[in-house]
């Protein structure tokens, strides 16, 4: 052993250097996770791994009481941290010790633990709360939907604030246990699998569990009087569907569509690989909204999706999201093309399967329907901005980009990409840049120019860029494919005439606008 003599001054310097960085002064976690589209959404300083929600809900008065237990780990030395939440909080505990709390801004619950938390610490946060969700709003809107016999929480990009405290951004995914007590005779629908029900003193408690990571906006809660159906797909996927008893004239068409979920999950598995979750299904409450949402394993459908009859196309769209959007979630909201472009393309594949128009015919029709001066082409699907995040161009131009990729790399590579991508990033998050890199890796072709042309240029690509051979020889006005009306019906709320900004809303004309309310006149598929 060799010893070195160190002068006193040098020793002090060494000791200072030896102090770990974590011993630095703890600082507050950021009140936003850093997404430029929604600067105040999500929070910094920690990562949640599990939500345990134990709730009691009274449909007649819309009163919700709850205890939320969050399991998390700190990502910095924390003096305090934020949760996204709107209801009234009575107590917060951090690692079993009461913490101070206050509110800030439109939807921030600010928690100050009794002692600071070192980076890398496992943290258990318990929040006791109550309130009337329909009485709460942020940025002038609400995403909590009252129904004749209960309520529904399902919206994008935000819905959690009205029923549980969270780190509300898709980049922080977690598993869930959702336990809700309601009056006997009322049902509760949520994500994953139903673990059990139990009744006592006029109340029934429903216990749902989602064991795969789930983004907060994909967590859903529906309380009401439902007819619940269960079966198993030919491929072995358990299916749970639920229909409000108040659907009226839309009941038959809703069932004729949603009851095909098992068949469609199996069909999509042929393109996207094994279904990524433990159950599938959907529910149709008696809301007046006009949209559908890919809430994980249990899709939300508005009755208006079926006002003109059955529509398997919208079911295909939402089920495609289970791979593209739910299992593989976006890193940031600018990556929305990875969700909507591929879910729309799944509808095109279904159209071809049904003999109602091939993917090429649909691509030709969409391309020809929007001349060079159409504002449609000014939307950049690869980074549309919050005002156009759910514009029809993200869906339709987004699907055109998928078709352009197929033409560029050939069917063999294309379908390997389509199936391999959800497995490459299963249960994680990814960006458009990640997808381009993966597509280049699988195809062996440089694709930067193609991605730039179709996803990032605010102009109409030339016909050769759209497809070197076909579009240049296609008729000036291609015939409208038979499937188009049903595909277009899933635009509605996220349509071409409206915008969506940082406050996440839907207006009366079927588009996302700045006020976050859902009107009865639009339809869309998120």
């Amino acid at each position: 052993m060799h010893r070195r003599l160190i002068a006193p001054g040098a020793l002090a310097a060494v000791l200072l250097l030896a102090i770990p960085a974590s011993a630095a002064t703890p600082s507050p976690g950021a009140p936003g996770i850093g997404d430029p589209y929604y600067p105040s959404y999500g929070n910094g300083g920690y990562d949640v791994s599990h939500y345990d929600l134990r709730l009691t809900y009274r449909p007649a008065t819309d009163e919700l009481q709850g205890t939320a237990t969050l399991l998390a780990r700190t990502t910095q030395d924390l003096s305090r941290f934020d949760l996204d939440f709107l209801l009234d909080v009575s107590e917060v505990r951090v690692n079993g010790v009461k913490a101070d709390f206050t509110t800030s801004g439109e939807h921030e619950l600010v928690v100050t633990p009794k002692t600071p938390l070192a980076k890398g610490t496992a943290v258990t946060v318990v929040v006791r709360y109550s309130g009337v969700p329909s009485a709460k709003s942020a940025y002038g809107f609400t995403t909590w939907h009252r129904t004749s016999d209960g309520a529904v929480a399902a919206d994008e990009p935000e819905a959690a604030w009205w029923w549980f405290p969270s780190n509300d951004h898709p980049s922080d995914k977690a598993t869930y246990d959702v336990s809700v007590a309601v009056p006997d005779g009322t049902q509760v629908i949520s994500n994953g699998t139903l673990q059990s029900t139990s009744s006592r003193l006029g109340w029934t408690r429903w216990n749902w569990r989602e064991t795969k990571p789930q983004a907060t906006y994909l967590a859903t809660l529906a309380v009401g009087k439902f007819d619940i159906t269960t079966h198993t797909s030919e491929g072995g996927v358990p299916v749970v569907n639920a229909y409000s008893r108040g659907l009226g004239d839309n009941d038959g068409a809703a069932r004729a569509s949603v009851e095909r979920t098992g068949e469609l999950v199996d069909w999509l598995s042929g393109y996207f690989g094994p279904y990524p979750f433990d159950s599938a299904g959907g529910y149709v409450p008696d809301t007046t909204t006009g949209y559908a949402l890919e809430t994980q394993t249990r899709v939300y459908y508005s009755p208006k999706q079926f006002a003109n009859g059955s529509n398997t196309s919208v079911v295909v769209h939402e089920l495609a999201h289970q791979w593209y959007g739910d299992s593989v979630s976006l890193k940031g909201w600018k990556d929305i093309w990875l969700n909507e472009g591929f879910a729309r393309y799944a509808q095109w594949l279904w159209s071809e399967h049904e003999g109602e128009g091939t993917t090429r015919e649909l691509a030709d029709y969409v391309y020809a329907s929007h001349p060079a001066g159409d504002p449609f082409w000014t939307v950049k699907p690869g980074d549309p901005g919050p005002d156009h995040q759910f514009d029809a161009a993200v869906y339709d131009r987004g699907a055109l980009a998928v078709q352009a990729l197929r033409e560029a790399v050939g069917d063999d590579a294309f379908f390997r990409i389509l199936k391999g991508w959800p497995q490459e990033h299963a249960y994680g998050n990814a960006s458009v840049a990640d997808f381009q890199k993966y597509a280049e890796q699988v195809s062996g072709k440089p694709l930067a120019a193609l991605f730039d042309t179709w996803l990032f240029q605010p102009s109409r690509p030339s016909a050769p860029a759209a497809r070197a051979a076909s579009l240049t020889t296609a008729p000036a006005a291609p015939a409208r494919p038979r499937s188009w009306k049903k595909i277009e019906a899933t635009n509605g709320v996220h349509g071409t005439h409206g915008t969506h900004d940082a406050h996440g809303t839907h207006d009366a004309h079927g588009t996302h606008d700045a006020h976050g309310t859902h009107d009865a006149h639009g339809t869309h598929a998120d």
Side-chain angles (χ1 to χ4, degrees):
M1 178 182 289
H2 300 281
R3 290 184 173 88
R4 284 194 303 139
L5 292 176
I6 302 177
L11 177 61
V14 169
L15 288 174
L16 283 172
L17 289 172
I19 297 174
S22 61
T25 303
S27 58
I33 210 165
D35 193 312
Y37 280 25
Y38 306 99
S40 63
Y41 288 23
N43 306 287
Y46 63 94
D47 184 84
V48 182
S49 61
H50 184 73
Y51 291 92
D52 182 275
L53 309 177
R54 190 170 179 86
L55 314 174
T56 299
Y57 181 71
R58 293 171 171 80
T61 57
D62 197 40
E63 292 176 273
L64 181 69
Q65 292 177 303
T67 300
T69 303
L70 285 64
L71 305 183
R73 187 169 294 276
T74 56
T75 57
Q76 69 177 67
D77 297 299
L78 276 178
S79 59
R80 69 171 188 261
F81 58 91
D82 285 21
L83 294 166
D84 300 300
F85 197 45
L86 289 174
L87 297 187
D88 305 317
V89 174
S90 60
E91 182 181 85
V92 179
R93 289 180 178 266
V94 177
N95 290 342
V97 179
K98 282 189 177 181
D100 291 332
F101 60 91
T102 186
T103 58
S104 175
E106 293 276 350
H107 70 279
E108 301 289 328
L109 174 65
V110 184
V111 178
T112 304
K114 187 172 182 179
T115 57
L117 304 169
K119 180 180 179 179
T121 299
V123 181
T124 301
V125 181
V126 177
V127 182
R128 297 184 186 276
Y129 56 93
S130 61
V132 178
S134 59
K136 300 293 186 179
S137 66
Y139 308 103
F141 69 87
T142 179
T143 66
W144 180 263
H145 312 296
R146 291 293 305 276
T147 63
S148 61
D149 52 16
V152 172
D155 216 319
E156 182 183 19
E158 69 289 286
W161 315 340
W162 282 263
W163 66 291
F164 69 97
S166 68
N167 192 17
D168 191 26
H169 190 271
S171 61
D172 190 0
K173 299 165 74 169
T175 55
Y176 283 74
D177 281 309
V178 178
S179 174
V180 188
V182 293
D184 288 348
T186 299
Q187 285 80 29
V188 176
I189 306 299
S190 192
N191 310 87
T193 58
L194 182 63
Q195 300 294 296
S196 64
T197 61
S198 60
S199 296
R200 182 173 179 269
L201 301 176
W203 291 80
T204 301
R205 181 167 289 280
W206 298 68
N207 301 295
W208 292 89
R209 170 169 289 179
E210 176 48 64
T211 61
K212 298 295 191 294
Q214 175 175 279
T216 43
Y217 83 96
L218 298 173
T220 192
L221 175 68
V223 177
K225 295 184 184 299
F226 292 98
D227 176 29
I228 299 174
T229 68
T230 61
H231 66 276
T232 301
S233 79
E234 189 176 4
V237 178
V239 178
V240 180
N241 297 321
Y243 308 90
S244 170
R245 298 175 196 172
L247 292 181
D249 292 345
N250 294 327
D251 183 80
R255 291 173 187 263
S257 307
V258 179
E259 283 299 300
R260 295 184 69 180
T261 292
E263 169 199 349
L264 296 175
V265 161
D266 290 348
W267 178 78
L268 284 166
S269 296
Y271 289 102
F272 298 154
Y275 181 70
F277 302 117
D278 295 332
S279 71
Y283 70 96
V284 191
D286 61 339
T287 56
T288 59
T289 62
Y291 63 98
L293 181 66
E294 63 268 25
T295 38
Q296 189 161 307
T297 71
R298 196 111 314 108
V299 173
Y300 165 82
Y301 298 99
S302 161
K304 289 181 180 292
Q305 291 292 333
F306 312 107
N308 295 317
S310 63
N311 189 349
T312 52
S313 185
V314 70
V315 179
V316 166
H317 182 107
E318 302 305 333
L319 292 177
H321 275 311
Q322 304 304 307
W323 288 265
Y324 281 81
D326 293 11
S327 176
V328 185
S329 300
L330 40 73
K331 280 185 178 177
W333 281 108
K334 70 182 179 63
D335 299 308
I336 192 67
W337 171 71
L338 289 174
N339 294 16
E340 303 304 346
F342 288 86
R344 174 53 46 89
Y345 196 76
Q347 293 176 273
W348 290 13
L349 290 168
W350 179 247
S351 169
E352 188 166 280
H353 174 78
E354 294 289 275
E356 296 184 343
T358 66
T359 61
R360 283 189 173 186
E361 288 167 345
L362 284 158
D364 287 348
Y365 180 74
V366 170
Y367 184 85
S369 297
H370 299 282
D374 193 323
F376 175 89
W377 299 109
T378 66
V379 176
K380 300 177 289 184
D383 188 1
D387 289 346
H388 297 283
Q389 185 183 351
F390 298 107
D391 194 280
V394 174
Y395 295 67
D396 292 334
R397 184 177 174 180
L400 281 175
V402 179
Q403 180 69 17
L405 173 66
R406 180 177 177 178
E407 299 292 338
V409 303
D411 276 6
D412 180 65
F414 174 76
F415 287 111
R416 281 191 285 121
I417 292 167
L418 206 61
K419 183 175 288 188
W421 172 256
Q423 297 172 52
E424 180 81 3
H425 293 278
Y427 313 119
N429 298 78
S431 67
V432 173
D434 293 330
F435 183 83
Q436 179 186 320
K437 181 179 178 181
Y438 180 77
E440 289 176 333
Q441 173 189 324
V442 172
S443 68
K445 295 189 176 184
L447 297 170
L450 181 141
F451 275 72
D452 182 62
T453 296
W454 281 101
L455 297 179
F456 296 101
Q457 290 302 315
S459 57
R460 190 187 201 222
S462 63
R467 185 165 65 251
S470 176
L471 282 180
T472 54
T473 59
R480 187 179 78 174
R482 282 198 300 140
S483 62
W484 181 251
K485 187 174 180 180
K486 287 184 177 180
I487 292 173
E488 190 178 37
T490 61
N491 273 354
V493 168
H494 292 166
T496 57
H497 303 296
T499 60
H500 171 279
D501 80 352
H503 308 255
T505 67
H506 308 274
D507 72 13
H509 304 293
T511 60
H512 254 329
D513 79 338
H515 308 296
T517 57
H518 296 279
D519 184 275
H521 304 300
T523 61
H524 87 270
D526 277 332

